[in-house]
Amino acid sequence: MSPREATFNESVSSLSAHGLSQRYSAVRGFTEDLCEPLFPEDCVIQSMPDASPTRWHLAHTTWFFETFVLAKAIASYKPFHPAFGFLFNSYYNAVGEQYSRPERGLLSRPRVEEIFDYRKHVDSKMQELLDDPASSLPADLLAVVEIGIHHEQQHQELILTDIKHVLWCNPLYPVYHESERESNGQTRPIEWIEYDERLHWIGHDERGFAYDNESPRHRTFTDPFQLAARLVTNEEYRDFIEEGGYQRPEYWLSAGWDLVGKRGWKAPLYWIESEGERKHFSLSGIQPLDPSAPVCHVSYFEANAYARWAGVRLPTEAEWELAAGEVPIEGNFAESGRLQPVTLPSSTSDGAPSQLFGDVWEWTTSPYTPYPGYSAVEGALGEYNGKFMCNQYVLRGGSCATPGSHVRRTYRNFFPPDARWQFSGIRLARTAESA
Amino acid sequence: MSPREATFNESVSSLSAHGLSQRYSAVRGFTEDLCEPLFPEDCVIQSMPDASPTRWHLAHTTWFFETFVLAKAIASYKPFHPAFGFLFNSYYNAVGEQYSRPERGLLSRPRVEEIFDYRKHVDSKMQELLDDPASSLPADLLAVVEIGIHHEQQHQELILTDIKHVLWCNPLYPVYHESERESNGQTRPIEWIEYDERLHWIGHDERGFAYDNESPRHRTFTDPFQLAARLVTNEEYRDFIEEGGYQRPEYWLSAGWDLVGKRGWKAPLYWIESEGERKHFSLSGIQPLDPSAPVCHVSYFEANAYARWAGVRLPTEAEWELAAGEVPIEGNFAESGRLQPVTLPSSTSDGAPSQLFGDVWEWTTSPYTPYPGYSAVEGALGEYNGKFMCNQYVLRGGSCATPGSHVRRTYRNFFPPDARWQFSGIRLARTAESA
Amino acid sequence: MSPREATFNESVSSLSAHGLSQRYSAVRGFTEDLCEPLFPEDCVIQSMPDASPTRWHLAHTTWFFETFVLAKAIASYKPFHPAFGFLFNSYYNAVGEQYSRPERGLLSRPRVEEIFDYRKHVDSKMQELLDDPASSLPADLLAVVEIGIHHEQQHQELILTDIKHVLWCNPLYPVYHESERESNGQTRPIEWIEYDERLHWIGHDERGFAYDNESPRHRTFTDPFQLAARLVTNEEYRDFIEEGGYQRPEYWLSAGWDLVGKRGWKAPLYWIESEGERKHFSLSGIQPLDPSAPVCHVSYFEANAYARWAGVRLPTEAEWELAAGEVPIEGNFAESGRLQPVTLPSSTSDGAPSQLFGDVWEWTTSPYTPYPGYSAVEGALGEYNGKFMCNQYVLRGGSCATPGSHVRRTYRNFFPPDARWQFSGIRLARTAESA
Amino acid sequence: MSPREATFNESVSSLSAHGLSQRYSAVRGFTEDLCEPLFPEDCVIQSMPDASPTRWHLAHTTWFFETFVLAKAIASYKPFHPAFGFLFNSYYNAVGEQYSRPERGLLSRPRVEEIFDYRKHVDSKMQELLDDPASSLPADLLAVVEIGIHHEQQHQELILTDIKHVLWCNPLYPVYHESERESNGQTRPIEWIEYDERLHWIGHDERGFAYDNESPRHRTFTDPFQLAARLVTNEEYRDFIEEGGYQRPEYWLSAGWDLVGKRGWKAPLYWIESEGERKHFSLSGIQPLDPSAPVCHVSYFEANAYARWAGVRLPTEAEWELAAGEVPIEGNFAESGRLQPVTLPSSTSDGAPSQLFGDVWEWTTSPYTPYPGYSAVEGALGEYNGKFMCNQYVLRGGSCATPGSHVRRTYRNFFPPDARWQFSGIRLARTAESA
């Protein structure tokens, strides 16, 4: 077994097929729970090339299990529908041609109901495989099942971020679900947590599941730095705006400044001026901005400009991972049902950074690159991560739309620097010298 | 009353409110019949900027009656929904701002069911107005009701042509409705019907309903010409293709030749090469081409190139209208349920051109311009026709997707020369000298 | 001889080869005179896809004579340079491939000097042919020489309009040539000249030279109308602007209104607001607007919107040609050296429309279509006109940048309705009924 | 003095004003030498938005001295021309607005001759300042003079790469200068040089001049690796092509694979298939490919795909800088006059990598990011580097178009991953484990 295959396989040792079956069932069910508030009309819309219709997410995650598990495990397996391989393959060239991504919103068929039938069909075959003691899936396929479950969780987040964008495009501002508003008072001054210089290890230690892009674990040297104990808030970001943040080129990367002009950016995505008041669009409709809640839906360019305006900078991913150290993976995740970032009642008591996990993905200043010694796994699944390591930045920590069990300290999310429709926010850092 | 208002009003004299009520009800019902085979998912898709989702057509035609009749006739009328004026106004600047046309496919709400509720609401108010003897709608509003009915019929055709394009974009090639194939044998040689030179009248004579662009009736001089007794067939068009029609610039207008290259045109829209055979996509799915059926879904550029290849030309709209003379308005219209052009059993017995009405709209060589003395009516409805008189060509005669009661001898349909998604075909003409 | 060939040939009977030689020499010389104020740097710039660099005009007109005369007349003729056929063919598919039009500004070689060498070479061969009594060019080639001379004159106008656009793009607003400003007082009220209804002939009568698009001469019926005795002035157009002309959709064709928004049109091309005063850019640099001079550099959309605002309309080309009747072809042409439209001292005394020829091309409401019975000549020269008969409008009368000997009463110039960089202006008409 | 200012200032201590004067004069003169083979027509063309016309480079570098030195040093200094600040500012927002970059090719004025006058004017003022002992430029302005000299050298390289692209766009393939072809035999197998893991310093040590992006010098940890002793050759790259390199997605980053399709890449820029033979376009015209010369004009995407095909990878910039260690900065630079990469006679004798400097810029796998602790200098010159740290990759070592005195071991050149018009090539690396 090559070192790269290990990344996906290692974790399986601790997972019985039966344990996987239960997780499979729970995760697949959660996807469908997320679609419960949606109507068939909602599920076909593609509001921009970067996003996909709900129906596509529902089918694509199913195709993943069908293609990479069922078709491999069952000699006589016949695809549910001969065209679905073409329609629901996202980008796996090794598996075949793909239907044009920006045109996913042109398709009304198979209908949503038919896609749920597809899910049922594949789920029943999968459960058979996982539950039947005689089936005895080989370890490498069990590993792929586990990948598929994590893959499904990634698409759960995308279902939420993509449908939020769809509803936002509608002048009626439809509500996805009703939710109570919470606020916990005002913004406190930032406390800075200090970290000494050190040569340390980052990347996944191969205990439990991880994607290949988190490996190999390797040493890196980090200069002394300080990390903000909390996230940047709406109130602080509003100050940036009001002091001319979007009018002053000196805070911006050149490519970001171009976009400010071209796209007319004046505030984070989903902020609106309504009746003289700043509000924002959430999955619960238009709401007043909570001043002390973390600012959200900013691009890397905006996060970086904010940091420069504040006289500091964003953290690198090595700094972030170092700080994540022993911090427990708890926070405001998708399961809470809030589906928006909230004000934290207080900083964590023990001097650790708060809200490191959940609420908002935190932009780092690190381009998404291969770790030293990285090479993609062989075969189609090698296309999962490696080929996207270009012109994207790493985000860390998960968001209020990420399933909690999907998040890890070493997890590397990545988006292009202009992306704003994810739940992405800002944590500040500074080098010790500039203190 | 100004001469322009007359165009829309004249016809009303012969129409009782009661008669209108019956037509209103029949026409509105036919729209909903056309949507019967569609699912909610189908009704939200916009496959290209020129086309609109079914749900938009359903709502826009309803908004037309609400805005131009109900809101004028009923002092206390409150719009069904405050945002629908913005969402479902097509292009009437005089009435207010409009939601961006190429983004009609971004909207999932109001849902299809809600739009049917909107239709029910407006229909019941309209029937009240038309049926209650006490309501006594003034003549100018009765005239607008009549326009609205014709407007609805135009959108019936667009519902069909637009959904055909939606289904075509889907690699599954879904079927709108099953239908039987008909064929009536082979292509006969073209007979040419001769017309002498003359100074004659064209345009609407103000008896019965007409759009303002058909007026004023006026004199025009036409040189002697000949008109083909039948339409160009699939078989003939295939010959054009096989003799290099799409490879030889000499047949093409310069702008058309550019499009052949840019869009890779090699055949009419909806033709496909499948298993070595030429087929076409119809509302009944993929079918073999009927060699003797009229060629359909060609642009003006293709129609014109075909005519040059054949050594002749297309007719002018004056020639077409002159030839339409006393020909009865009968043919293969939407009500037949075929929804595709068919082979005609035989030429009409009396030497008149056959299939002049129905089957396919016939491209003329006439740019869509105002008739001498034309001026648009005052107010919002003046935007109906006049402002589009630029860079479009006139088509005549109606198609298999046009309601039969919507067609007139003087009817001027118009589309840009690159449009191919309408049921548009080719009738040839030639000047007498070149005989 | 077919009727179409006649169009180009007929005129030759009256022209001796010797006469042609003198005209050839004069016209070719005038082209070079026009380039005299330009530097090599000026001659390579292409400021937009529609315009061409001066060096390209200089070479293309030369290539025309080389390809269509020298190569046909001299059996042993070898092209001056093997690549020039590819580089300087404009759009004649029958002669071969062409270098991409929008990329003409990427070429620095052959240098301007080398292109003048090319001109000298071709000119000397041409003069030999025309002057040597033994050479005896056949009539059809003499006819092509005549076409080539007119072709050269068309490009003289384009050299001026294209370089004006080049200089305009430069924030330094360079001056092409110094000229004196002339003004002749104030705008007088429009007088309207009446024309009765009639069936009349239009098109070229085959006496003297004409392009094929002016034929066949044919009958047309014209309703009674009135034509403005003079052109619309800058002052009048300024009123249109100040009364919200560019803000009110009701005056505009739909496609024009879109452009007003997309391109931010607020005034004719070349108008600028400078130090609180309206000025315009001319070939003599920035100048104050002469209120009583004809407005210039407006698109068809603007001309049409102006006319609607003024409650009237533009003339058809048949009306214009009828009015041109016996009016002498005199006016402010390129030879005057003014190169901008001027105020006319007074209306012509005899009730004929003034400034019908020269000053500005007059937009007509007639799309550029083939005359009844028109067919393009055989061979490459058949591509001269016919293939452009789509989505363009006819302009009449010549401008201050047109060589006077190039203008005819039947001359049909044509440009797309959004073109503004030609010297195009506005003459109003109205139907008699609306008087 | 802040640490950042130090970067630009430090070096000045060792430089007398007199020494600078001599370098100023030599470097400015070399720019004009490079333009000697060009004609005015060549100097105005902008062949793509990324490149600039020669005349612009000539003026912009002059504007740099005028704006950042003369205007600061001489109280009464008046700009040579009031509009040049707008026309020739590249991207310094702090200094004012800039003329649109992609439209630099629309300008013919000031003419080339006038720009040379501008250069003479500024040069004479600069020499006065530098030569007059009384002028005594303060240290910070001397530092800016030094930056300006390096800035001029950067534009010397761009003059060459941009004009190469201009001439390439011309079907005549004009020659910039004649040069002799050199070849030194065949490609030898790659030797791999080993480097142990270590924590080491990279970045500039503040001795001599450096740009701010080379600072701060800092520690980084590098795993053991091997570096190819020589560059990848044309012959090797041809093998990649012939084994389907441009047809197999598995070698490519996703964004790169998209470009292969969209732009139709099939070989490096400037390679052509001519008479059945692979040739390339050089500044000396079309030439046969030298099989053993370094491959050049490849994008990062191509370099990366080649490395994956070869089963290895590109080096990081830290690895490259570590390897550059004590290697002397010698090689085939612009001063040699070759202006194309050549075959190296033999590997350097002492086991050091050969051709590390000169010939081709070497793509590294490192995105262009700020070094830990980096912050841009205050003021306009802070825009020199920092704002471009996004979506670009670092290249190292200089090329055959780089002035030799401009290159440093710590020098970080940077271009977007799709850029191919620089002299960019491929050096391979591999992690020790995969050996």
Side-chain angles (χ1 to χ4, degrees), chain C residues 158-424:
Chain C
L158 293 174
I159 284 172
L160 290 168
T161 57
D162 292 359
I163 201 70
K164 183 170 180 177
H165 195 261
V166 166
L167 300 175
W168 159 256
C169 290
N170 193 318
L172 303 175
Y173 296 123
V175 166
Y176 166 81
H177 77 151
E178 301 290 347
S179 75
E180 250 174 272
R181 292 192 53 233
E182 305 161 79
S183 178
N184 293 286
Q186 66 203 82
T187 304
R188 256 169 294 244
I190 289 183
E191 290 168 46
W192 296 92
I193 305 172
E194 303 220 14
Y195 299 84
D196 295 334
E197 74 173 49
R198 74 191 75 178
L199 184 68
H200 60 108
W201 290 86
I202 65 166
H204 195 253
D205 65 3
E206 317 271 317
R207 285 180 297 188
F209 176 82
Y211 287 125
D212 64 352
N213 61 8
E214 301 165 50
S215 287
R217 187 164 172 81
H218 63 283
R219 281 162 293 172
T220 190
F221 182 80
T222 297
D223 285 298
F225 72 101
Q226 299 180 331
L227 195 71
R230 62 160 174 77
L231 296 166
V232 170
T233 65
N234 285 324
E235 190 171 15
E236 290 170 316
Y237 199 86
R238 200 168 46 197
D239 290 345
F240 165 65
I241 297 175
E242 283 166 12
E243 294 190 13
Y246 286 88
Q247 280 90 50
R248 297 174 57 180
E250 62 264 36
Y251 302 136
W252 295 81
L253 285 161
S254 179
W257 182 243
D258 285 353
L259 286 186
V260 167
K262 262 187 223 155
R263 304 197 184 158
W265 285 352
K266 291 177 180 161
L269 181 63
Y270 300 135
W271 282 32
I272 55 174
E273 195 87 34
S274 166
E275 300 153 22
E277 199 191 345
R278 280 192 204 280
K279 300 187 173 178
H280 74 121
F281 176 71
S282 75
L283 284 165
S284 304
I286 303 289
Q287 294 187 338
L289 271 183
D290 177 359
S292 64
V295 68
C296 190
H297 294 298
V298 293
S299 63
Y300 175 77
F301 292 124
E302 288 161 302
N304 195 61
Y306 178 88
R308 293 202 57 177
W309 170 80
V312 295
R313 61 172 175 83
L314 304 176
T316 65
E317 65 168 328
E319 288 169 347
W320 194 97
E321 190 166 323
L322 194 154
E326 298 302 302
V327 178
I329 303 176
E330 296 165 3
N332 174 20
F333 293 121
E335 291 86 350
S336 78
R338 287 187 191 97
L339 305 182
Q340 56 179 302
V342 294
T343 310
L344 192 81
S346 72
S347 177
T348 56
S349 55
D350 56 356
S354 71
Q355 288 176 294
L356 210 51
F357 296 105
D359 284 307
V360 294
W361 286 101
E362 305 178 15
W363 284 109
T364 74
T365 195
S366 300
Y368 179 48
T369 53
Y371 279 169
Y374 169 82
S375 64
V377 294
E378 292 292 307
L381 288 178
E383 301 184 54
Y384 202 105
N385 277 307
K387 73 181 182 184
F388 301 110
M389 290 176 172
C390 178
N391 292 3
Q392 314 221 40
Y393 282 81
V394 172
L395 302 103
R396 293 293 194 117
S399 82
C400 57
T402 317
S405 64
H406 184 64
V407 176
R408 283 176 300 285
R409 289 184 188 86
T410 57
Y411 194 104
R412 308 173 79 196
N413 198 1
F414 51 91
F415 277 93
D418 65 336
R420 315 207 302 168
W421 90 111
Q422 296 301 303
F423 289 87
S424 48

Side-chain angles (χ1 to χ4, degrees), chain A residues 379-397:
Chain A
L381 288 178
E383 300 184 55
Y384 202 105
N385 276 307
K387 72 182 183 184
F388 301 110
M389 291 176 172
C390 178
N391 292 3
Q392 315 222 39
Y393 282 81
V394 172
L395 302 104
R396 293 293 194 118

Side-chain angles (χ1 to χ4, degrees), chain C residues 39-42 44-47 81 83 86-87 99 105-112 169-172 174, chain D residues 39-42 44-47 81 83 86-87 99 105-112 169-172 174:
Chain C
F39 293 92
E41 290 95 327
D42 300 322
V44 300
I45 311 262
Q46 179 175 37
S47 56
H81 190 291
F86 174 66
L87 287 175
Y99 180 79
L106 300 190
L107 304 185
S108 56
R109 315 286 181 91
R111 291 182 297 115
V112 177
C169 290
N170 193 318
L172 303 175
Chain D
F39 293 91
E41 289 95 327
D42 301 320
V44 301
I45 311 262
Q46 180 174 36
S47 57
H81 190 291
F86 173 66
L87 287 176
Y99 180 78
L106 299 189
L107 304 184
S108 56
R109 315 286 181 93
R111 292 182 295 116
V112 177
C169 290
N170 193 319
L172 302 176

Side-chain angles (χ1 to χ4, degrees), chain A residues 400-412:
Chain A
C400 56
T402 318
S405 63
H406 185 63
V407 176
R408 283 177 300 284
R409 290 185 187 85
T410 56
Y411 194 103
R412 309 173 78 195

Side-chain angles (χ1 to χ4, degrees), chain A residues 34-276:
Chain A
L34 292 175
C35 298
E36 198 275 323
L38 301 176
F39 292 91
E41 289 95 327
D42 300 321
C43 296
V44 301
I45 311 262
Q46 180 174 38
S47 57
M48 58 174 173
D50 286 338
S52 295
T54 312
R55 60 181 281 292
W56 187 89
H57 289 298
L58 288 168
H60 165 67
T61 49
T62 306
W63 166 86
F64 190 99
F65 288 112
E66 185 179 53
T67 305
F68 295 123
V69 181
L70 296 185
K72 304 248 156 112
I74 306 173
S76 62
Y77 187 79
K78 262 204 190 149
F80 181 77
H81 189 292
F84 285 10
F86 174 65
L87 286 175
F88 300 124
N89 177 359
S90 50
Y91 52 66
Y92 297 89
N93 296 312
V95 179
E97 293 275 305
Q98 304 113 42
Y99 181 77
S100 161
R101 176 179 178 144
E103 296 178 353
R104 288 177 187 162
L106 300 189
L107 304 185
S108 55
R109 315 285 181 93
R111 292 181 297 116
V112 177
E113 197 181 303
E114 293 167 325
I115 287 172
F116 277 110
D117 290 344
Y118 179 36
R119 291 181 69 91
K120 276 202 199 79
H121 173 85
V122 165
D123 286 350
S124 88
K125 295 281 180 194
M126 284 293 298
Q127 299 287 180
E128 255 174 56
L129 272 187
L130 293 169
D131 292 344
D132 179 4
S135 80
S136 71
L137 272 183
D140 60 340
L141 283 185
L142 285 177
V144 174
V145 174
E146 194 174 19
I147 296 173
I149 289 169
H150 284 273
H151 174 255
E152 180 102 14
Q153 289 184 307
Q154 281 188 285
H155 282 277
Q156 287 167 357
E157 178 151 8
L158 294 174
I159 283 172
L160 291 168
T161 57
D162 292 359
I163 201 70
K164 182 170 180 179
H165 195 261
V166 166
L167 299 175
W168 159 256
C169 290
N170 194 317
L172 303 175
Y173 295 124
V175 167
Y176 166 81
H177 76 151
E178 300 290 347
S179 74
E180 250 173 272
R181 291 192 54 231
E182 307 162 78
S183 178
N184 293 286
Q186 67 202 82
T187 305
R188 258 171 292 244
I190 290 183
E191 290 167 47
W192 295 92
I193 304 172
E194 302 218 15
Y195 299 84
D196 294 334
E197 74 173 49
R198 74 191 75 178
L199 184 68
H200 60 108
W201 290 87
I202 64 167
H204 196 253
D205 63 5
E206 316 272 317
R207 284 180 297 189
F209 176 82
Y211 287 125
D212 64 351
N213 62 7
E214 300 165 50
S215 288
R217 187 163 170 81
H218 63 284
R219 281 162 291 173
T220 191
F221 182 81
T222 297
D223 284 299
F225 72 100
Q226 300 181 330
L227 194 72
R230 63 160 175 76
L231 296 165
V232 170
T233 65
N234 284 325
E235 189 172 16
E236 290 170 316
Y237 199 85
R238 199 168 46 197
D239 289 346
F240 166 66
I241 296 175
E242 282 166 12
E243 293 190 14
Y246 286 88
Q247 280 90 50
R248 298 173 58 179
E250 61 265 36
Y251 302 136
W252 295 80
L253 285 162
S254 180
W257 182 242
D258 285 353
L259 286 185
V260 167
K262 263 187 222 155
R263 304 196 183 158
W265 286 352
K266 290 178 182 162
L269 181 62
Y270 299 135
W271 283 32
I272 55 174
E273 195 87 34
S274 167
E275 300 153 23

Side-chain angles (χ1 to χ4, degrees), chain A residues 239-435:
Chain A
D239 289 346
F240 166 66
I241 296 175
E242 282 166 12
E243 293 190 14
Y246 286 88
Q247 280 90 50
R248 298 173 58 179
E250 61 265 36
Y251 302 136
W252 295 80
L253 285 162
S254 180
W257 182 242
D258 285 353
L259 286 185
V260 167
K262 263 187 222 155
R263 304 196 183 158
W265 286 352
K266 290 178 182 162
L269 181 62
Y270 299 135
W271 283 32
I272 55 174
E273 195 87 34
S274 167
E275 300 153 23
E277 199 191 344
R278 279 192 205 280
K279 300 186 174 179
H280 74 122
F281 176 71
S282 75
L283 284 166
S284 304
I286 302 287
Q287 294 186 337
L289 270 183
D290 177 358
S292 63
V295 68
C296 190
H297 294 299
V298 292
S299 63
Y300 175 77
F301 291 125
E302 288 161 301
N304 195 61
Y306 178 87
R308 293 200 58 176
W309 170 79
V312 295
R313 61 173 174 82
L314 304 175
T316 65
E317 64 169 327
E319 289 168 346
W320 194 97
E321 191 166 323
L322 194 155
E326 298 302 303
V327 178
I329 303 176
E330 296 165 4
N332 174 21
F333 292 121
E335 290 85 350
S336 79
R338 287 187 192 98
L339 305 183
Q340 56 179 302
V342 293
T343 310
L344 192 80
S346 71
S347 175
T348 56
S349 56
D350 56 355
S354 69
Q355 288 176 296
L356 210 52
F357 296 104
D359 283 308
V360 294
W361 286 101
E362 304 178 16
W363 283 110
T364 74
T365 195
S366 300
Y368 178 47
T369 53
Y371 279 167
Y374 169 83
S375 65
V377 295
E378 292 292 307
L381 288 178
E383 300 184 55
Y384 202 105
N385 276 307
K387 72 182 183 184
F388 301 110
M389 291 176 172
C390 178
N391 292 3
Q392 315 222 39
Y393 282 81
V394 172
L395 302 104
R396 293 293 194 118
S399 83
C400 56
T402 318
S405 63
H406 185 63
V407 176
R408 283 177 300 284
R409 290 185 187 85
T410 56
Y411 194 103
R412 309 173 78 195
N413 198 1
F414 51 91
F415 277 94
D418 64 336
R420 317 207 300 169
W421 91 110
Q422 297 301 304
F423 289 87
S424 48
I426 311 174
R427 181 178 304 274
L428 300 176
R430 58 187 185 191
T431 52
E433 295 88 353
S434 68

